[in-house]
Amino acid sequence: ENDKQKLMDIFFSKCHLLSDPVYWEVLRSVWVTCGSTDNAAQFRPYFSAKRRAKSWFMTPEDAGYLDSLSFPVTLWRAYDDEEDGGISWTNDYEWCRKYAESKGRRIKEAQFNREDVYAYISRRGESEFIIL
């Protein structure tokens, strides 16, 4: 149906039925499909769930890439408002620049330590770092 809100509603209402590993895998897929600055606050409680197997949120390849980085790492974020509540950052400045230009946004830069990075996701082609 291509209805992102419906997908989110189904996950949010039924995720308690999932095993821990499947919960994290499905959360990743729902975030990749639906996640944005506009709904990041809705996802925060699910990212913070006290469930085992949290490592399943990242693919083994993404976890390996994150583990291979030297920290602190410099990341960029395209934003409209300094307090936008967004949680997605990237280490690909060119991707960020093009995205910011296409949306009429500004870019901010910050350095993060490993403990600041919730996860790394490569599936959207943006080298996304989730910073909660």
Side-chain angles (χ1 to χ4, degrees):
E1 295 178 21
N2 200 24
D3 185 337
K4 291 180 179 183
Q5 187 59 52
K6 185 174 182 180
L7 175 59
M8 289 169 40
D9 291 344
I10 291 169
F11 175 76
F12 295 157
S13 67
K14 302 290 184 183
C15 65
H16 66 280
L17 301 172
L18 301 174
S19 70
D20 291 343
V22 173
Y23 170 92
W24 294 112
E25 283 186 313
V26 174
L27 176 59
R28 178 184 67 235
S29 293
V30 174
W31 171 254
V32 167
T33 303
C34 306
S36 70
T37 299
D38 296 333
N39 60 28
Q42 290 178 275
F43 280 90
R44 283 181 189 271
Y46 298 93
F47 287 137
S48 301
K50 303 292 185 217
R51 297 184 72 148
R52 294 177 299 108
K54 187 175 178 179
S55 63
W56 285 56
F57 183 81
M58 288 188 284
T59 64
E61 295 80 14
D62 288 349
Y65 176 76
L66 184 59
D67 289 341
S68 76
L69 296 175
S70 296
F71 287 90
V73 64
T74 301
L75 302 178
W76 296 273
R77 174 167 175 68
Y79 69 100
D80 288 321
D81 178 9
E82 193 65 37
E83 300 299 323
D84 70 358
I87 60 176
S88 296
W89 292 73
T90 184
N91 65 347
D92 184 342
Y93 179 79
E94 281 304 305
W95 186 94
C96 188
R97 184 187 60 75
K98 289 175 186 174
Y99 182 78
E101 286 177 3
S102 74
K103 301 289 185 179
R105 296 180 175 177
R106 295 174 285 183
I107 296 174
K108 58 184 167 182
E109 176 183 310
Q111 289 206 327
F112 296 95
N113 293 313
R114 175 60 185 96
E115 59 270 12
D116 300 321
V117 178
Y118 177 81
Y120 170 77
I121 301 173
S122 62
R123 282 181 37 189
R124 290 202 260 200
E126 62 187 77
S127 296
E128 179 182 18
F129 290 75
I130 297 177
I131 309 294
L132 300 179

